[in-house]
Structure formats: C-alpha cells, structure tokens
Amino acid sequence: MMKIYKIPQNLKAIIFDIDSTLYTNDAYAFEQVDCQVRQFAKLRGITASQARKMVADYRQKFAEEHGGSKISLGNTLLAFGVPIEQSVEWRRKLLEPSDFLSVDKKLIDEMKILNQHFKLIAVTNNPVFPARKTLQAIGISDFFPKIVGLDTCFKSKPAVEPFMEALKILCEKAEDCLAVGDRYDIDIAVPLELGMGGIVLNGVEEVYQLSQNVL
C-alpha cells in the first residue's frame, strides 16, 4: 500500500521517480538491470550468471551492513570499478522501453490533474535519453519538460545532488516539494532529510490515486 511520510502544507511541485513508479513492468525492470550486468560480465570475462551473483551478493552485504538500506545498481557497479560514465553509456545504448511499455491512458488522466496544480519533474537513476523514451512510451512525456538523470550530475540516487538539481530547476524550496518513488532508501529518504514531503508507492496503480491524496 501507498505509504505517506509527509505531504507539504504548501505543495507546489512533485518530484517523481520513473522506473517501477510511473509504470509497473517486471520484465522491463529486470532487463534494465540485467542488460548492464551482462555488459559487466563481458568486461570482467566472466559468465552472466557469475556477474549476477556478484551483484546480488554485494547488494545483500550492503543491506546487512547498512540496516537494510538498498543500493542502486549504478553505485553497485561503481564499487566494482565501473565508472558512472560507463553505466550511462550502457543504458543509453541498451535500453529500449518501447519494447516493453505502452501508452497508459489512466496515467495520462492522472498527470493532467496533477499538472493543473503542481510543477512536475522526474529524477531518475537512468540517463536522460532512455528516461525520456520511457516517458514517451507510456504517454506522459509532455508533462515533464525537465528530467534529472544519471548523466545530469553523474551521481546515482540516493546522492543528494540529483534532488538539489531538481530544486534548482523547479525554483522551489524543499519544504514545498514532494518526492514520489517506489523505494524509500533510494527515492524518499534524502528528500525527507532535505525537508521535502515523501510518498512510497507500490507501482503505477497507486499513482492513479495520487491526486486524491495531495489535493
């Protein structure tokens, strides 16, 4: 279920995560990770299965050592010596959201409502190019004139820089903004620390109900 941590009293802008927030598609969610893991395997000269295990083991160990907190794939690969710039290049080249996603009319209707009342911006751990293609595939690109992507700050959420860049673009104070995403540790924890509101959603079905909770 949707978990509301805080909704700003004077809400002016909503900062959306994209993947597994504005759409729900397990196959595409898996491929976004696995296409990079396969590239990492080629780089290391190991099998895809071995690379998957390395990534899974590292993420599990990270969670155990950080009170259950999750780590992004970009930061996981960075720990294995893969620069963020390389992650960006792989994602730009390999991700084809239209192979998995289609126009979501219910989401479009919800975005129309939200767009009448608030500024909207997307902050994602994917580069801007595939992120824009994702928004186009689901039919809501026009509602997001700006995207803060992995290649904007070359920092992967939960780094503070992408959120600070979003505030700069929005020209709004943190306390007047709401962060919406599917992962507390990655999408919501830092915005709350900055003074924003925060909502964790379990997929796009709960996005359809967002205006009922913020208006």
Side-chain angles (χ1 to χ4, degrees):
M1 286 182 60
M2 178 189 302
K3 186 162 184 180
I4 299 173
Y5 288 88
K6 175 186 172 185
I7 296 177
Q9 192 169 14
N10 186 31
L11 180 59
K12 294 181 179 178
I14 303 178
I15 299 172
F16 278 96
D17 173 53
I18 296 178
D19 298 296
S20 296
T21 296
L22 293 175
Y23 67 86
T24 303
N25 187 299
D26 291 343
Y28 186 46
F30 174 80
E31 178 60 16
Q32 285 191 69
V33 172
D34 204 59
C35 70
Q36 296 174 77
V37 174
R38 296 194 301 267
Q39 291 298 115
F40 172 62
K42 291 178 183 177
L43 195 66
R44 281 289 185 95
I46 59 178
T47 67
S49 295
Q50 288 172 321
R52 291 183 190 112
K53 187 176 187 306
M54 285 178 67
V55 168
D57 287 350
Y58 184 87
R59 285 177 139 178
Q60 182 179 345
K61 184 180 179 185
F62 181 92
E64 290 170 353
E65 293 176 350
H66 294 82
S69 295
K70 296 177 181 178
I71 184 171
S72 70
L73 179 64
N75 284 334
T76 299
L77 292 175
L78 185 61
F80 289 133
V82 179
I84 291 292
E85 291 81 359
Q86 182 65 76
S87 294
V88 165
E89 211 45 50
W90 286 345
R91 296 176 200 222
R92 282 177 179 160
K93 177 182 176 182
L94 298 170
L95 295 181
E96 290 296 341
S98 61
D99 290 346
F100 298 86
L101 306 174
S102 57
V103 171
D104 185 337
K105 292 181 180 179
K106 289 182 70 174
L107 182 62
I108 293 171
D109 290 342
E110 180 66 14
M111 289 297 140
K112 285 179 181 177
I113 296 170
L114 294 173
N115 193 49
Q116 289 173 359
H117 298 274
F118 312 112
K119 297 177 184 178
L120 306 180
I121 192 169
V123 176
T124 174
N125 277 348
N126 270 324
V128 171
F129 180 60
R132 179 61 68 189
K133 289 198 294 184
T134 297
L135 295 180
Q136 289 169 346
I138 56 181
I140 61 169
S141 182
D142 289 347
F143 299 110
F144 293 90
K146 293 290 185 179
I147 297 172
V148 177
L150 187 59
D151 49 348
T152 304
C153 305
F154 289 93
K155 294 282 187 177
S156 184
K157 294 185 293 183
V160 70
E161 287 88 347
F163 296 107
M164 295 302 295
E165 181 65 18
L167 292 176
K168 180 180 175 183
I169 293 168
L170 291 166
C171 296
E172 298 292 352
K173 296 181 291 186
E175 55 263 38
D176 295 333
C177 297
L178 172 69
V180 177
D182 66 301
R183 299 172 295 179
Y184 176 83
D185 302 322
I186 306 295
D187 303 316
I188 306 302
V190 168
L192 289 175
E193 290 173 6
L194 292 172
M196 299 185 204
I199 297 178
V200 174
L201 302 173
N202 291 301
V204 72
E205 291 286 339
E206 294 184 355
V207 178
Y208 303 153
Q209 305 163 25
L210 192 58
S211 60
Q212 300 171 29
N213 289 276
V214 300
L215 291 176

